[in-house]
């Protein structure tokens, strides 16, 4: 049985990345069904709606890392090869360089 905090967490995840389905993640859906877990049916929102100042490469990396199917998520080594880290190396926010705002 899913308690309230787990149900709320699933709801929040589903409102961001959308609920899982059988097409990309049948193993997970079968496991959820065996545990009597039902996912809320809601539409996803693009991550940029939640993080409007994020660069496209950051959104791309976070989207890849938020896959329901763990086999489709990048490994740490793959994530480090993502274009975000190529672009981010050129970007130094003031808060990290010690400059005042």
């Amino acid at each position: 049985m899913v308690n309230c905090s787990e149900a709320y967490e699933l709801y929040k995840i589903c409102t961001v990345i959308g609920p899982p389905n059988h097409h990309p993640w049948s193993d997970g859906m079968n496991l959820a069904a065996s545990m009597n877990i039902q996912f809320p049916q809601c539409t996803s929102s693009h991550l940029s709606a939640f993080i409007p100042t994020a660069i496209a490469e950051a959104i791309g990396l976070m989207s890849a890392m938020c896959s329901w199917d763990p086999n489709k998520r990048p490994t740490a080594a793959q994530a480090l090869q993502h274009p975000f880290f190529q672009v981010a190396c050129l970007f130094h926010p003031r808060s990290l360089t010690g400059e005042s705002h």
Side-chain angles (χ1 to χ4, degrees), residues 39-87:
F39 294 94
Q41 296 306 305
C42 48
T43 58
S44 63
S45 298
H46 198 268
L47 285 176
S48 62
F50 297 99
I51 315 165
T53 58
I55 60 174
E57 291 80 6
I59 296 294
L61 178 58
M62 287 185 284
S63 294
M65 294 172 74
C66 288
S67 173
W68 282 106
D69 185 347
N71 295 317
K72 296 209 182 348
R73 292 181 208 137
T75 63
Q78 290 168 334
L80 289 172
Q81 297 303 312
H82 191 275
F84 168 74
F85 289 106
Q86 308 311 310
V87 173

Side-chain angles (χ1 to χ4, degrees), residues 2-10:
V2 176
N3 69 35
C4 290
S5 62
E6 291 169 335
Y8 182 71
E9 186 175 333
L10 281 175

Side-chain angles (χ1 to χ4, degrees), residues 22-40:
H22 281 281
H23 173 64
W25 194 43
S26 60
D27 291 342
M29 293 300 293
N30 292 336
L31 177 61
S34 72
M35 298 173 67
N36 200 27
I37 295 174
Q38 295 181 356
F39 294 94

